[in-house]
Amino acid sequence: MAQTEIKPLLVLVVGMTDRIGGLETFLMSYCEPLFGRGIHFDFLCRFPVCSFQDRIEEMGGRVFHICRRSRNPVRFYREILTFFREHGQEYDVIWDNECMMNDLTPLQLAKRSGIPCRIYHSHNAANTAVGIKGKLQGMLHRLHRRYADRYVTDFWACSESAAQWGCPARVTKRKLYRIIRNAMNIDPFGYKPEVRRRVRQELDLGDAYVVGFVGQLTSAKNAGFLLDAFSIFLHSNPDAALVLAGDGVERTRLEEQAKRLELEERVHFLGACDRIPELLQALDLFAMPSKTEGLGIAAVEAQISGLDCILSDRFPLEVCFRNNVVFLSIDNAQDWAKAMEKTRHHGHSRTDGRDDAQRAGYDIKTQLGLVETLWRAKNDSEISGVQISI
């Protein structure tokens, strides 16, 4: 008996930036394995450089670049209108991944182009932009959120707090959204003592007690606060070291702060790093004082690797799936230094966290099937003329 041929799906992904961070890594975690399951991904990028572009193109995906609206509104609208006029009718799904809803243009044009499945995926829980620009973006977010369901067929979020931030009130009240875990291939993050020894030797960390941070060096991630806390911790722990993996607009300022605090010999700025699973093995403690987080995929990865974690209380509670996580406010660096001290001397013994991550829904193997099913169900219902809620 002949097997039924699975209809290929063409998905347009919006939200990839020019810097590798949690969102970008999340997108590739889902897209790469689905490329081989009859789903094709193209990316609409608002930056001249797109993260992972080489890997996307190797898989057969296309990357379309358009101008950012904040840089040149006239050019932005001209380029995005041209893109949807030429390509919009090709897609079955638009998957718009955003930290805030300050620009509905891709979803509006997707509806006009007849794309049947239009997903808004919320990845943050608050406005991280600052100054006049931040106030304007926040105003637009609140305005657009009110009527987003005119254009969005499906609301997704990485956590409950991200859903409350990103979805219209009538959607959250009726629970008409779906939590899609920031799942990943958990195997590379499992604790491996032999990798720990090798990476510590490569980084010349010796027997230091190593505190680690993974994230973009932006105001929202608040790495400057961590430098202050580490400086205090270092007074009673002179063998300690701090490793910061990531890059961003605040890197120069943070390097200057480290010099002022006389931390140059104890702080390692690694820049953008594509070896996070290995790096986590080399750490003793993971610390992240973010001002806001939709979920915090780096904290998930740290728990899988067995690390004790100190996180700001701005993380959603569902990020925690092990008993080695402490949440603290970001009001007082002294409190963080004390928590580091306590964790060093009374922390948990390090154990592999892959089983716990799988039970919590962070294993990409289980989540991929869910996402594919949702997309195909939506398109099948549109083809048959029957609307279903997913």
Side-chain angles (χ1 to χ4, degrees):
M1 183 174 181
Q3 290 184 341
T4 303
E5 185 177 350
I6 298 177
K7 175 185 178 293
L9 288 180
L10 188 55
V11 179
L12 178 64
V13 183
V14 181
M16 189 72 87
T17 74
D18 59 346
R19 295 182 183 275
I20 296 176
L23 172 57
E24 294 76 16
T25 302
F26 159 79
L27 288 174
M28 291 305 291
S29 294
Y30 275 82
C31 293
E32 280 191 302
L34 286 172
F35 256 110
R37 294 165 66 156
I39 302 179
H40 179 96
F41 295 91
D42 288 342
F43 290 74
L44 183 62
C45 181
R46 303 182 183 100
F47 297 83
V49 176
C50 179
S51 296
F52 301 113
Q53 181 158 341
D54 290 345
R55 284 164 59 180
I56 292 168
E57 292 175 344
E58 285 175 6
M59 293 181 290
R62 298 176 294 179
V63 179
F64 298 93
H65 296 273
I66 60 174
C67 176
R68 296 181 71 184
R69 188 176 63 174
S70 59
R71 290 288 180 89
N72 188 327
V74 174
R75 181 181 167 193
F76 164 77
Y77 284 110
R78 182 177 70 245
E79 292 180 349
I80 197 169
L81 283 167
T82 299
F83 169 80
F84 276 97
R85 184 170 60 249
E86 295 179 353
H87 300 285
Q89 71 281 0
E90 301 172 11
Y91 297 99
D92 303 295
V93 178
I94 180 172
W95 184 18
D96 192 356
N97 296 267
E98 306 288 355
C99 290
M100 61 193 309
M101 196 180 288
N102 59 309
D103 182 14
L104 277 176
T105 309
L107 292 160
Q108 291 170 329
L109 295 178
K111 181 178 181 180
R112 185 188 301 178
S113 300
I115 299 176
C117 182
R118 302 180 297 276
I119 300 165
Y120 175 78
H121 197 155
S122 177
H123 289 274
N124 214 342
N127 186 358
T128 60
V130 297
I132 296 175
K133 178 182 177 182
K135 291 180 180 179
L136 176 60
Q137 289 183 345
M139 180 183 69
L140 289 172
H141 171 82
R142 291 187 293 273
L143 174 65
H144 292 164
R145 186 175 57 188
R146 292 179 184 175
Y147 60 85
D149 50 354
R150 297 180 189 176
Y151 310 103
V152 177
T153 60
D154 302 277
F155 288 93
W156 291 2
C158 63
S159 66
E160 290 292 340
S161 54
Q164 296 298 320
W165 163 252
C167 302
R170 53 185 168 271
V171 170
T172 56
K173 287 179 181 177
R174 297 172 61 192
K175 296 286 186 180
L176 299 177
Y177 59 87
R178 183 177 290 274
I179 301 299
I180 300 295
R181 294 293 181 199
N182 283 4
M184 66 198 77
N185 179 7
I186 63 176
D187 291 336
F189 294 94
Y191 181 46
K192 304 174 184 68
E194 68 281 3
V195 175
R196 172 181 170 83
R197 288 189 290 270
R198 174 172 56 80
V199 176
R200 287 178 71 95
Q201 184 176 17
E202 291 175 4
L203 295 176
D204 195 25
L205 294 172
D207 295 325
Y209 181 80
V210 183
V211 180
F213 166 101
V214 176
Q216 294 190 15
L217 301 183
T218 62
S219 173
K221 298 301 182 182
N222 206 20
F225 179 90
L226 182 57
L227 285 174
D228 288 335
F230 178 75
S231 178
I232 299 169
F233 175 69
L234 193 63
H235 289 313
S236 54
N237 296 269
D239 64 330
L242 174 63
V243 172
L244 299 111
D247 210 344
V249 295
E250 294 225 325
R251 177 166 177 170
T252 299
R253 186 190 68 78
L254 292 167
E255 289 174 338
E256 292 172 350
Q257 180 182 350
K259 289 180 181 178
R260 287 197 307 273
L261 295 171
E262 299 182 349
L263 300 176
E264 304 104 300
E265 300 299 320
R266 308 308 301 172
V267 177
H268 305 264
F269 288 89
L270 301 185
C273 180
D274 59 0
R275 299 173 57 198
I276 299 303
E278 292 187 0
L279 174 64
L280 291 173
Q281 308 298 322
L283 306 181
D284 297 294
L285 171 66
F286 182 83
M288 199 119 181
S290 302
K291 295 178 182 178
T292 181
E293 286 284 354
L295 179 75
I297 193 168
V300 173
E301 295 167 347
Q303 290 175 79
I304 297 172
S305 72
L307 285 168
D308 287 316
C309 300
I310 302 176
L311 309 177
S312 79
D313 58 4
R314 312 297 176 85
F315 279 77
L317 292 178
E318 59 253 53
V319 76
C320 175
F321 57 88
R322 307 198 83 195
N323 63 355
N324 57 349
V325 180
V326 174
F327 294 96
L328 291 178
S329 72
I330 48 175
D331 298 328
N332 191 329
Q334 184 77 47
D335 291 341
W336 279 65
K338 290 179 180 177
M340 292 178 193
E341 187 83 37
K342 182 177 180 180
T343 302
R344 177 172 191 178
H345 297 293
H346 305 289
H348 299 79
S349 58
R350 189 164 183 173
T351 57
D352 192 299
R354 282 177 288 185
D355 288 344
D356 291 331
Q358 188 174 52
R359 283 189 288 270
Y362 290 108
D363 187 350
I364 193 69
K365 297 183 185 72
T366 59
Q367 291 293 303
L368 285 175
L370 169 63
V371 169
E372 181 179 5
T373 298
L374 294 175
W375 286 342
R376 292 195 181 282
K378 190 69 176 182
N379 277 274
D380 289 345
S381 71
E382 293 286 347
I383 291 170
S384 65
V386 179
Q387 296 285 338
I388 66 171
S389 173
I390 62 171

